C-alpha cells in the first residue's frame, strides 16, 4: 500500500509539472551592428533588471539568456512567463526593464542597451558596438 501511495504521488507531481507551461509573453530582436554593418555570430546576453540597473551587465555570468546573431546580425529572444514576465492569462500587463549586452574577447562589456518591455510586445532594437566602448568601472 505504501508503494502505491508513493507511485500515486509521483504521478500527481508529473501531471502538475506538465500543466505548468511556459508561455511566450513578448519577443525582442536585437540587431548587433558595428560601423553600420550587421555582425554575424555575436553572442548577445540578456539580463533581467534586478534593481541594480545596468551594473548587472558588467559580468556576463549574471545573464539570464544568451543568443547568437544570425546572418543578418539579429539575435532573437523570447520572454516567457512566469520566469521573465507575469502570465498574461492572469490579466496582468507588466512592464519591465531588460538589458542586452555584448562582450569583447577579454570578457569586458563593449555594448549594452536597456529596453522597456511590456507583456505582448514585439520589439526590434539595435545594439551598436563601438571601438572605444569601455567595459565599465568594474575592476
Amino acid at each position: 500500500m505504501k508503494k502505491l501511495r508513493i507511485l500515486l504521488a509521483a504521478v500527481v507531481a508529473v501531471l502538475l509539472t506538465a500543466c505548468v507551461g511556459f508561455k511566450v509573453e513578448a519577443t525582442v530582436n536585437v540587431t548587433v551592428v558595428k560601423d553600420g554593418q550587421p555582425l554575424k555570430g555575436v553572442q548577445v546576453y540578456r539580463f533581467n533588471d534586478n534593481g541594480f540597473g545596468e551594473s548587472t551587465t558588467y559580468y556576463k555570468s549574471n545573464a539570464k539568456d544568451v543568443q547568437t546573431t544570425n546572418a543578418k546580425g539579429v539575435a532573437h529572444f523570447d520572454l516567457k512567463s512566469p520566469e521573465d514576465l507575469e502570465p498574461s492569462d492572469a490579466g496582468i500587463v507588466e512592464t519591465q526593464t531588460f538589458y542586452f549586452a555584448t562582450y569583447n574577447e577579454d570578457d569586458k562589456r563593449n555594448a549594452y542597451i536597456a529596453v522597456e518591455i511590456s507583456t505582448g510586445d514585439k520589439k526590434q532594437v539595435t545594439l551598436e558596438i563601438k571601438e572605444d566602448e569601455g567595459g565599465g568601472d568594474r575592476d
Side-chain angles (χ1 to χ4, degrees):
M1 188 68 175
K2 187 174 182 178
K3 288 183 182 181
L4 183 60
R5 286 184 191 167
I6 292 173
L7 179 62
L8 183 59
V11 169
V12 169
V14 168
L15 289 175
L16 288 175
T17 303
C19 292
V20 177
F22 291 97
K23 179 180 175 187
V24 174
E25 298 290 352
T27 60
V28 182
N29 286 324
V30 180
T31 303
V32 178
V33 298
K34 183 174 181 182
D35 298 326
Q37 299 299 314
L39 298 177
K40 175 185 175 184
V42 176
Q43 289 189 314
V44 180
Y45 294 81
R46 177 183 60 86
F47 302 83
N48 295 19
D49 187 7
N50 57 8
F52 294 108
E54 61 95 11
S55 65
T56 304
T57 67
Y58 288 157
Y59 301 99
K60 63 184 179 182
S61 60
N62 293 330
K64 298 296 181 190
D65 191 10
V66 60
Q67 297 295 324
T68 303
T69 58
N70 62 19
K72 295 181 180 181
V74 178
H76 177 81
F77 292 89
D78 288 328
L79 303 176
K80 299 177 181 177
S81 63
E83 60 187 14
D84 300 317
L85 293 166
E86 291 296 323
S88 60
D89 296 343
I92 300 170
V93 176
E94 180 181 28
T95 300
Q96 284 189 309
T97 301
F98 292 87
Y99 299 96
F100 299 90
T102 57
Y103 297 83
N104 65 18
E105 58 278 350
D106 296 324
D107 284 342
K108 289 194 175 187
R109 186 186 72 194
N110 58 7
Y112 85 97
I113 188 169
V115 183
E116 291 287 322
I117 300 171
S118 298
T119 303
D121 280 352
K122 293 181 178 170
K123 296 245 181 170
Q124 307 274 339
V125 299
T126 300
L127 184 59
E128 185 173 354
I129 297 175
K130 297 180 181 172
E131 281 298 322
D132 60 350
E133 183 76 23
D137 195 16
R138 63 177 190 172
D139 292 326

